[in-house]
Amino acid sequence: MASHDNRPDDLSSEDDGGFDLRQEIARSAFADMCHDWERNQKYDRALQLTIARLHAEGQEAHVLDIGTGSGLLSMMAIRAGADSVVACEAFRPMADCAEQVLAANGMQNRVRLLKKRSTKVSVGPGLDMERRANVLVTELFDTELIGEGALGTYRHALEHLLTDDVLTIPHSATVYAQVVECPLALGWQQLKTLSNADGDILLRVPPDVVACRGSNAVFDVQLSQLPVGSFRMLTEPVPVFRFEWDNRNNLQLQRSVKSVCRARNAGFPQAVFMWWDLTMDKAGDVLLSCAPYWAHPDFQRLKLAAEQRERRVPESNVIPWRDHWMQAIYFLPLMKIPVQSGHEFTLRAYHDEYSLWFAVGNEDTGNDGAPHCTCGWHIAQSRSRIGQLNDSLRNKRYLNYFERVFSSDSVVLVLSEGSLLGLAAARMGVKQVLLYEPNAISRRCMEAFVEHNSVKNVQFLSSADALEPVTAAEVTHVFSEPHFPSAILPWDNLHYGDLLKNLRPLLPPSVTYIPSSATLYALPVEFLDLQKINAPLGTCEGFDLSPMDHLIAEHSIFTDSPVEAQPLWEYPAYALAGQSRLMEINFASDFEETKAEQGEMRLRDPERLNGIAIWVEWHLDGSHSPKTTISSGPQVPVEESSEELIRWNANWRQGVHLVRSYPNRKATIPWTVKFNPTLSNVYFHFDYMGK
């Protein structure tokens, strides 16, 4: 994420945006980018070199900063000796903030700030810009490089706002692709056949789902955090696209290229890992790379520097961390024949104005545009949810339990959405399965599975109210995974209990609830990097950015939950204590009135605390046995004295409370948890600050 130059111009006041505008400000990536020390230093260095080059040639340096955000790059340009600077920012609250930042640094009269889109800027005497700029500095990029409209913005600026000999910062970008075999990633894309413990197939995947290319939304991932051994590199990184930002003819809105690759290993091409780098100046002296650690050009130098500083970090974290530019995974059409080591094959890369996509083989299959979901599954379900559906250990625990508790007389009410396990129960010989499927797309997906697998004993319910009293009286078991697409935090799936409460008067007293209960757990941690997304800026490269801290903090009060959802497997952390049991919620009894629990955590090193991770464990029965528990938390139990990185389940997002203040940390942290069943909300309070 970068410039907000493509935001609507009408977001000029809180009255226009309300809560959504406050959230947009609180969640903006401006602060995250400003914490990216490498980005800042390399932009600064490129500005110094470029402006000095112009002055050495006897030219003035007139700078245009598109999407200025905080105003940081404009202030760097002034410090580097620019003769004039014009900055534009369309997102009005941030433009107002940039005005305050410029004033705080005494530059309000040296930078001309335009609160509008660059495409609305006029050039000429007495207009927005007195003259065309001969230096353009901007940061218009996202994980996919062009996903925020960089191509269109650059093309307009080159035609209307810049001189023919303009020097752009950055000067160019190169997109890299690496073909891999990665079963872990494929598990987030391609549904697998569901079998029981004996290997008997319960559900086959319909052909149209197998052939579907999936969602066209960019799949941004911290590739450096993929578990070791989870993928095989089939090629070296291949440069597929180069963008020269000062050359309008080079910035085509649609292109395709063909690269001949030699396989370094044998395997099935399943996915492409993508990243890009920026050549910051025309001379090519400054390079900024977004590569994962194994392909990063500065890896060895940064690793040595970390060792000399005695930094306690894994190899994957010695490269500069950033959350606004990650890497991306693109899935390839399935191939039935593997490539062989040393053999050549063709990689095809495509882009339009906003997206990239890839294919392997000689057939040109990509000119119809970016792949999109045709089966419905990738629309109805998230990638992490598809990963859950493919999780063999999770499925085994459910299916083993089903075999023990279901019989040919069982009537199972499934209060979950997109539950293939519910369909599996129908194939295991129960009398009937009632599937709650209120979402039309999800219901069509499930109907396709029913038809393809000839499942006869299934009835769909479009709403909970559709359950007839006569049918409800026959229910022997209520099952939920639980999963609801509207859930963001793990405990949002407690919606299962709310549905159950409303249906309970219709159900027999003897009905069995699966799961019978859920337990909330918390773990105090030291994140290596994640805390930066919530940390104040203060000063940045010698400039006072505190007005931006105040803006984000002000709007966070209205919008930010104390706990947010994050895929913690992507963000390494050390445990500072053992896990704490916060609250158990019983689905047969705990949805009538508010419930509260209190306790405390004892930290072994309070000063390292910068976050608290929270997750849910679902207990299929009352035993709480690991064999009947489904956890959205660590893959292995966390030892209280462990100095190993926590291993999180990669198919779930966990909750995380990021600690905002640092001094006088308590060694013992009192906590309070409240569960409001009426609102289906869980509230957390952690008292970690000393006096």
Side-chain angles (χ1 to χ4, degrees):
M1 297 174 65
S3 165
H4 295 272
D5 186 58
N6 55 354
R7 294 189 185 281
D9 290 332
D10 58 358
L11 293 182
S12 58
S13 71
E14 291 184 8
D15 292 337
D16 293 330
F19 178 86
D20 290 337
L21 177 56
R22 289 191 178 115
Q23 189 172 58
E24 181 72 27
I25 297 167
R27 298 294 190 193
S28 70
F30 289 106
D32 177 31
M33 289 188 295
C34 292
H35 279 296
D36 184 349
W37 59 267
E38 184 195 33
R39 165 196 176 273
N40 299 337
Q41 291 177 8
K42 291 191 172 180
Y43 264 96
D44 196 21
R45 181 60 180 155
L47 277 163
Q48 294 169 14
L49 292 172
T50 300
I51 292 172
R53 172 181 174 174
L54 287 171
H55 287 170
E57 295 172 353
Q59 299 184 59
E60 292 185 341
H62 299 288
V63 178
L64 173 62
D65 175 5
I66 295 179
T68 191
S70 66
L72 178 63
L73 299 183
S74 289
M75 294 189 296
M76 287 179 174
I78 291 292
R79 185 169 63 185
D83 296 281
S84 72
V85 176
V86 175
C88 59
E89 174 59 58
F91 187 41
R92 185 58 64 85
M94 187 49 66
D96 293 342
C97 180
E99 191 171 48
Q100 296 176 39
V101 170
L102 292 171
N105 290 274
M107 294 191 182
Q108 67 272 30
N109 296 323
R110 304 187 66 187
V111 175
R112 180 172 175 77
L113 179 64
L114 306 176
K115 300 180 181 181
K116 59 173 64 176
R117 299 184 186 202
S118 62
T119 54
K120 303 294 185 181
V121 169
S122 56
V123 180
L127 300 178
D128 293 327
M129 296 173 60
E130 289 290 326
R131 62 182 68 80
R132 288 181 176 236
N134 61 349
V135 177
L136 172 66
V137 61
T138 187
E139 200 273 78
L140 297 165
F141 315 117
D142 66 350
T143 289
E144 207 166 15
L145 183 69
I146 58 174
E148 290 193 356
L151 289 175
T153 302
Y154 269 106
R155 285 168 61 89
H156 176 272
L158 288 167
E159 183 173 353
H160 299 284
L161 307 177
L162 306 172
T163 60
D164 292 339
D165 60 350
V166 65
L167 298 175
T168 60
I169 302 170
H171 170 68
S172 63
T174 302
V175 175
Y176 291 88
Q178 185 168 32
V179 182
V180 299
E181 180 181 83
C182 186
L184 174 63
L186 193 64
W188 295 320
Q189 160 79 359
Q190 179 67 61
L191 283 170
K192 300 176 183 177
T193 299
L194 184 61
S195 304
N196 64 17
D198 296 327
D200 299 325
I201 294 176
L202 297 175
L203 292 173
R204 287 183 168 87
V205 182
D208 65 322
V209 180
V210 174
C212 184
R213 291 292 303 276
S215 170
N216 60 0
V218 63
F219 188 10
D220 50 348
V221 174
Q222 298 281 2
L223 283 183
S224 290
Q225 302 308 324
L226 284 172
V228 174
S230 65
F231 62 94
R232 179 184 292 116
M233 302 177 190
L234 302 187
T235 68
E236 299 294 340
V238 178
V240 290
F241 291 119
R242 178 178 169 84
F243 297 89
E244 295 178 357
W245 303 119
D246 64 351
N247 184 343
R248 189 177 186 277
N249 294 329
N250 172 261
L251 300 180
Q252 301 173 47
L253 299 184
Q254 190 165 350
R255 274 192 296 173
S256 66
V257 298
K258 181 173 67 173
S259 303
V260 177
C261 306
R262 185 177 297 277
R264 57 180 284 184
N265 292 298
F268 289 92
Q270 294 174 335
V272 166
F273 291 168
M274 185 282 295
W275 62 88
W276 45 264
D277 65 26
L278 297 173
T279 300
M280 301 301 295
D281 63 316
K282 190 165 187 175
D285 294 327
V286 184
L287 178 73
L288 191 158
S289 175
C290 291
Y293 74 91
W294 65 80
H296 200 285
D298 287 338
F299 173 69
Q300 292 299 333
R301 179 182 63 80
L302 292 166
K303 180 182 177 183
L304 179 61
E307 291 170 350
Q308 291 173 343
R309 296 195 303 272
E310 297 182 350
R311 286 190 68 204
R312 186 177 54 91
V313 295
E315 281 191 342
S316 59
N317 281 70
V318 301
I319 61 174
W321 180 86
R322 50 182 61 97
D323 212 43
H324 50 280
W325 299 332
M326 291 189 270
Q327 300 84 35
I329 299 176
Y330 297 83
F331 294 102
L332 296 168
L334 293 180
M335 292 185 63
K336 296 181 179 180
I337 301 175
V339 298
Q340 300 300 321
S341 178
H343 287 195
E344 291 185 344
F345 66 95
T346 300
L347 171 66
R348 294 181 179 272
Y350 307 84
H351 80 76
D352 57 20
E353 188 171 355
Y354 300 101
S355 304
L356 307 173
W357 63 98
F358 299 88
V360 166
N362 292 320
E363 185 178 355
D364 194 353
T365 58
N367 285 325
D368 293 333
H372 60 279
C373 176
T374 55
C375 72
W377 272 99
H378 307 92
I379 299 171
Q381 308 296 344
S382 67
R383 293 182 173 108
S384 60
R385 170 58 178 168
I386 293 174
Q388 293 168 27
L389 293 170
N390 288 329
D391 187 329
S392 58
L393 177 59
R394 164 190 175 275
N395 293 341
K396 180 180 177 180
R397 288 182 180 174
Y398 278 118
L399 295 174
N400 285 346
Y401 188 72
F402 288 177
E403 289 181 351
R404 296 207 308 271
V405 301
F406 292 160
S407 70
S408 58
D409 295 325
S410 298
V411 175
V412 183
L413 171 61
V414 180
L415 294 180
S416 202
E417 296 183 43
S419 178
L420 293 181
L421 287 166
L423 279 185
R427 292 297 307 273
M428 294 174 73
V430 303
K431 181 179 179 180
Q432 187 177 27
V433 169
L434 308 168
L435 281 176
Y436 168 74
E437 284 291 346
N439 181 278
I441 297 176
S442 180
R443 185 165 61 253
R444 286 197 296 270
C445 292
M446 296 291 285
E447 288 170 346
F449 265 83
V450 168
E451 181 179 355
H452 183 65
N453 291 277
S454 301
V455 186
K456 305 298 184 184
N457 52 341
V458 170
Q459 176 184 338
F460 285 93
L461 303 174
S462 59
S463 68
D465 294 337
L467 181 62
E468 297 290 342
V470 174
T471 306
E474 297 179 353
V475 171
T476 59
H477 300 80
V478 178
F479 167 67
S480 184
E481 300 198 21
H483 168 76
F484 302 93
S486 59
I488 298 174
L489 292 155
W491 45 91
D492 291 342
N493 288 309
L494 291 170
H495 178 58
Y496 157 58
D498 189 48
L499 290 172
L500 197 57
K501 178 186 68 174
N502 295 329
L503 291 173
R504 191 174 290 123
L506 301 177
L507 300 172
S510 60
V511 72
T512 299
Y513 302 125
I514 309 169
S516 63
S517 63
T519 304
L520 292 164
Y521 286 93
L523 184 67
V525 301
E526 176 193 23
F527 287 111
L528 298 187
D529 295 297
L530 180 60
Q531 75 284 356
K532 296 172 187 173
I533 68 173
N534 210 27
L537 290 164
T539 60
C540 180
E541 300 302 316
F543 297 107
D544 178 9
L545 296 189
S546 58
M548 196 161 112
D549 289 334
H550 298 152
L551 176 72
I552 293 174
E554 174 188 352
H555 291 277
S556 295
I557 292 172
F558 294 100
T559 66
D560 277 6
S561 166
V563 179
E564 60 185 81
Q566 294 285 355
L568 292 185
W569 72 270
E570 296 186 55
Y571 304 104
Y574 294 98
L576 301 180
Q579 63 191 45
S580 294
R581 175 189 172 281
L582 303 182
M583 176 183 288
E584 181 168 348
I585 298 171
N586 189 299
F587 292 115
S589 60
D590 281 341
F591 278 77
E592 301 302 328
E593 57 185 28
T594 298
K595 183 175 182 178
E597 298 280 357
Q598 293 182 323
E600 60 185 27
M601 306 174 187
R602 298 183 182 275
L603 278 61
R604 66 174 182 272
D605 193 348
E607 294 304 316
R608 291 167 56 188
L609 177 72
N610 56 30
I612 297 172
I614 311 171
W615 68 94
V616 179
E617 293 188 357
W618 309 95
H619 308 293
L620 304 186
D621 59 15
S623 70
H624 289 208
S625 165
K627 294 182 179 180
T628 57
T629 294
I630 308 298
S631 176
S632 61
Q635 289 184 310
V636 296
V638 177
E639 301 293 335
E640 188 165 347
S641 58
S642 174
E643 281 297 327
E644 298 294 322
L645 290 170
I646 305 164
R647 292 172 52 196
W648 297 100
N649 188 319
N651 294 324
W652 296 85
R653 287 177 178 261
Q654 294 75 30
V656 60
H657 170 74
L658 294 173
V659 174
R660 292 174 182 252
S661 304
Y662 293 90
N664 303 318
R665 190 76 76 239
K666 288 181 177 180
T668 299
I669 301 176
W671 53 260
T672 301
V673 177
K674 293 182 180 180
F675 170 55
N676 185 327
T678 303
L679 301 176
S680 292
N681 279 346
V682 182
Y683 304 91
F684 301 89
H685 177 69
F686 302 99
D687 184 13
Y688 45 77
M689 296 306 300
K691 296 180 179 179

